[in-house]
Amino acid sequence: MATSLKNLSEYTSDQFIDISEKRFGLVVAEWNREITDTLAKGAYDTLIKHGAKEENIFRNTVPGSFELTLGAQLLAQHEEIDAVICLGVVIKGETKHDDYICHAVANGITNVGLKFNKPVIFGLVTTNTLEQAWDRAGGKHGNKGVEGAVAAIHMLGF
């Protein structure tokens, strides 16, 4: 959770497992692409930093955050994928679209992880403003992509 008390990019790696042979799928929403590219770079760089091989990280894009669930399922169904990290941004606007999208994505990602018995990580930035989204994409609250990669590594060692 990004708050003034927690930075998304701060973590302890003391108990990380060896991920050199693990394969990761990144599912990245194209909507708000400048921000999601920053999230994806944070996730990618964190996986590499902790031993993942470039050839074992597969980035796939979907049109928007709503489509993250199906993208995650299409990757998770492959036995050779060990973990999936879903990255998107939903900014509250004048309508309640954010409520519907966020609820559907949260439930969908949870169900995909349970269905395939592997980590499927919820890396959705949900904010009221564009500024808040940037604060969670490498700004003052860190990078949600880093947090997603860290969560995937932790869960692989569970």
Side-chain angles (χ1 to χ4, degrees):
M1 173 176 16
T3 69
S4 60
L5 303 176
K6 170 83 171 118
N7 186 301
L8 296 164
S9 298
E10 294 176 1
Y11 58 92
T12 304
S13 61
D14 298 345
Q15 297 182 359
F16 279 7
I17 64 164
D18 175 10
I19 61 168
S20 61
E21 298 304 318
K22 300 294 184 185
R23 293 180 182 209
F24 298 87
L26 300 180
V27 183
V28 183
E30 290 180 329
W31 196 260
N32 294 305
R33 186 171 201 142
E34 291 173 347
I35 298 171
T36 60
D37 281 348
T38 303
L39 299 174
K41 181 171 176 13
Y44 179 87
D45 290 349
T46 301
L47 293 171
I48 295 295
K49 175 181 176 181
H50 292 291
K53 296 176 185 169
E54 288 181 30
E55 63 268 19
N56 288 341
I57 303 172
F58 308 95
R59 178 181 169 153
N60 297 271
T61 59
V62 293
S65 293
F66 188 80
E67 292 79 23
L68 289 170
T69 301
L70 180 57
Q73 181 168 295
L74 293 172
L75 284 177
Q77 71 185 357
H78 295 285
E79 194 172 306
E80 64 272 9
I81 296 291
D82 297 294
V84 178
I85 303 166
C86 301
L87 301 168
V89 178
V90 177
I91 300 170
K92 186 172 181 66
E94 296 176 2
T95 67
K96 297 182 72 129
H97 78 286
D98 61 309
D99 289 339
Y100 302 112
I101 293 171
C102 295
H103 182 74
V105 174
N107 282 333
I109 289 172
T110 298
N111 289 333
V112 172
L114 294 172
K115 178 178 179 179
F116 293 102
N117 202 32
K118 61 178 69 176
V120 180
I121 306 302
F122 181 84
L124 190 65
V125 172
T126 58
T127 64
N128 291 316
T129 67
L130 182 61
E131 179 183 356
Q132 290 173 341
W134 278 113
D135 286 346
R136 289 151 181 82
K140 67 182 179 182
H141 292 302
N143 186 312
K144 185 79 170 171
V146 172
E147 183 190 50
V150 168
I153 297 168
H154 272 291
M155 290 306 296
L156 286 170
F158 188 77

